[in-house]
Amino acid sequence: MSLVFTMLLFTCSFSAFAQLPGFGDDVDDETPAAPIDSLIFAGFAAGAIYGVKKYKQD
């Protein structure tokens, strides 16, 4: 009986985490919402350089 209960528990919990089908046909899910600009990478690089300089100062 406990084996049946355990199997039922795992089956129900796995189906609860299952993904539903995709969006409807009227939703455009192919194009990205906003492109990632190259200035973000320049900001990361500048922040890394600033952080290394501050770390070496102390």
Side-chain angles (χ1 to χ4, degrees):
M1 181 68 180
S2 66
L3 179 64
V4 172
F5 180 72
T6 305
M7 294 301 289
L8 183 64
L9 179 70
F10 281 123
T11 304
C12 291
S13 65
F14 288 148
S15 64
F17 290 116
Q19 294 180 355
L20 298 175
F23 296 107
D25 291 336
D26 60 338
V27 177
D28 181 21
D29 58 345
E30 295 293 321
T31 57
I36 296 177
D37 195 50
S38 61
L39 287 177
I40 291 177
F41 299 115
F44 283 145
I49 292 170
Y50 179 74
V52 167
K53 284 187 177 182
K54 280 297 228 183
Y55 183 72
K56 286 187 177 185
Q57 262 184 355
D58 292 340

